[in-house]
Amino acid sequence: MKKILLSSVVCASMMFAASEYKYEITPMVGGAYTEGNLGLERDYINGGLALGFNQTESMIDQVELAVFRTVEDVDMVDAAGNSINRDTGITRVFVNFVKDYPLTSNASLYALAGAGVEFFDDAANNNNNENGLVGNYGVGAKYKLAEQFALKFDVRHLIEADSGDNTLLYNLGFSVPFGKIAKAAPVVAAPVVMAPKDSDNDGVIDAKDNCPNSVAGAIVNAMGCEMDDDKDGVVNRLDQCPSTIAGAKVDNVGCMTLVDLNINFDTNSAVIKDTYNSRIVNFANMMKNNTKLKATIEAHTDSIGSAKYNQKLSNKRAASTVEVLKSLNVDASRLTAIGYGETKPAASNMNKEGRAENRRVQAVITK
């Protein structure tokens, strides 16, 4: 396990990182768990303080100077684990090298390794707890609470240099960075002025051209798209029927194939109300302006009443619409009336609104 962690630290040292602050101070509290042969109680509480020196141009992210001290004196024990009525305080000082591994914008892992010394207030015992050198390595996690505050938790494995005895430290810390590094003013390159491009040569530069592949010679609007005056989806250049009624369906040359005359009848009625005159007048004018077109007037009903009655009613509605168009001087030879009864609903017949929509008239256009 020690080899794996040390290898991780060595690999991490090959990466570079930077911090916005020069220093970081971290007060810590935690505990220690010792081997059973050290002549000390196995669990005790530590307090600590770490001062980090952040590195901006180094293979490591931080050099840490850390001091740990037992909160209370630790009981000394015999081989059986019984107190021998003596105790000692322990102070440890380390210099560690730290490498961060970011996970998210707020969270990261870190690895550390280093060496230091430990001091026993009462080192005169028979269990080899003497002042001396100690190495350590460990891993931890850091979570940023705000721009300048973070929680840290780590576990450190301590190995005494003279005896190889082991102690495990686990610590919870609250870190505060300080000494913000002044950032150098960015170097702004002189802008390169280039003439705006117009790749399709339609007179609208590429930056404003919503239709960048206009046909050569096409008349376009301010956004670089070909004009479609009647807004039927077919541009003027291809539109053989340039006065399409709004909302009508058209073919690929812009001629109408289906027009909803927006006539909704009352139940059991074939009478066209005056409120629908403007739509019918517009359709009549279009037919007179395009004398090659013919129209089949299709009428529909809702499902109220019998299918036989609704068929007769739709025939009356289609004929009523044709009569209005004839009165507007549309040649009767170009008009055909047909009723579909309740067989082709456009909406549900289960509610009032749907039935009103089904009582409708449409014109199918042919040449």
Side-chain angles (χ1 to χ4, degrees):
M1 183 63 180
K2 291 187 285 185
K3 291 182 179 179
I4 294 174
L5 291 174
L6 287 172
S7 298
S8 298
V9 174
V10 171
C11 292
S13 68
M14 299 175 66
M15 302 174 63
F16 289 81
S19 171
E20 295 181 359
Y21 296 87
K22 295 180 181 179
Y23 313 106
E24 178 184 71
I25 189 166
T26 307
M28 293 178 283
V29 65
Y33 185 78
T34 67
E35 285 189 278
N37 61 348
L38 298 184
L40 299 171
E41 61 177 299
R42 300 199 67 177
D43 295 290
Y44 53 86
I45 300 175
N46 277 322
L49 184 68
L51 178 62
F53 300 84
N54 295 323
Q55 308 298 302
T56 57
E57 297 181 2
S58 174
M59 298 176 70
I60 59 172
D61 292 322
Q62 188 182 86
V63 176
E64 177 195 69
L65 175 62
V67 179
F68 295 95
R69 171 72 182 180
T70 53
V71 174
E72 295 180 343
D73 287 346
V74 180
D75 287 340
M76 296 182 183
V77 297
D78 59 22
N82 300 313
S83 175
I84 60 174
N85 297 320
R86 294 178 64 181
D87 53 36
T88 182
I90 307 171
T91 302
R92 297 182 174 99
V93 181
F94 294 97
V95 175
N96 293 315
F97 299 101
V98 183
K99 180 63 184 176
D100 282 324
Y101 298 92
L103 299 177
T104 68
S105 59
N106 293 325
S108 64
L109 300 178
Y110 61 90
L112 61 87
V117 293
E118 62 180 355
F119 303 97
F120 293 85
D121 294 351
D122 185 353
N125 64 77
N126 296 324
N127 293 307
N128 296 322
N129 289 312
E130 299 177 350
N131 301 337
L133 298 177
V134 60
N136 81 137
Y137 65 90
V139 293
K142 182 177 181 179
Y143 186 80
K144 199 173 185 180
L145 299 176
E147 182 180 358
Q148 292 186 303
F149 305 105
L151 282 178
K152 298 174 75 172
F153 176 79
D154 61 44
V155 178
R156 307 179 186 217
H157 182 193
L158 279 57
I159 306 173
E160 294 183 1
D162 56 351
S163 62
D165 291 333
N166 299 277
T167 300
L168 193 69
L169 299 185
Y170 46 94
N171 309 291
L172 179 65
F174 182 79
S175 67
V176 181
F178 62 98
K180 194 163 188 177
I181 300 172
K183 295 182 179 180
V187 178
V188 180
V192 178
V193 179
M194 298 180 64
K197 292 184 65 177
D198 177 15
S199 301
D200 55 5
N201 298 312
D202 62 357
V204 179
I205 63 173
D206 291 355
K208 296 181 179 180
D209 199 335
N210 291 343
C211 303
N213 297 309
S214 297
V215 175
I219 300 174
V220 300
N221 58 22
M223 295 180 292
C225 298
E226 287 195 62
M227 306 291 286
D228 177 15
D229 292 336
D230 57 6
K231 296 180 173 58
D232 61 358
V234 178
V235 298
N236 293 350
R237 177 174 54 85
L238 303 175
D239 200 338
Q240 296 179 13
C241 302
S243 301
T244 300
I245 294 176
K249 293 183 179 180
V250 300
D251 57 20
N252 57 3
V253 292
C255 294
M256 290 179 287
T257 59
L258 180 65
V259 179
D260 189 345
L261 297 180
N262 292 341
I263 302 173
N264 293 101
F265 295 89
D266 290 337
T267 302
N268 299 325
S269 174
V271 176
I272 299 175
K273 297 179 181 180
D274 292 341
T275 54
Y276 301 116
N277 284 346
S278 61
R279 181 71 169 179
I280 298 177
V281 170
N282 288 340
F283 180 72
N285 290 336
M286 181 278 300
M287 291 292 291
K288 289 184 287 185
N289 292 332
N290 297 273
T291 56
K292 293 182 179 181
L293 299 181
K294 296 181 179 180
T296 300
I297 306 302
E298 299 180 347
H300 305 266
T301 71
D302 59 27
S303 62
I304 301 299
S306 68
K308 183 177 181 181
Y309 173 79
N310 285 333
Q311 180 61 52
K312 290 181 179 178
L313 180 60
S314 66
N315 290 339
K316 290 180 181 180
R317 288 174 176 173
S320 176
T321 304
V322 167
E323 289 302 317
V324 173
L325 291 171
K326 288 165 60 177
S327 72
L328 295 171
N329 300 318
V330 179
D331 189 346
S333 65
R334 298 167 59 207
L335 300 171
T336 303
I338 185 170
Y340 286 102
E342 61 185 67
T343 61
K344 294 184 177 183
S348 171
N349 278 303
M350 300 302 292
N351 55 68
K352 180 179 178 181
E353 293 77 12
R355 290 191 294 272
E357 187 175 344
N358 288 332
R359 300 190 295 271
R360 71 196 188 279
V361 175
Q362 296 173 319
V364 177
I365 310 300
T366 56
K367 294 181 181 179

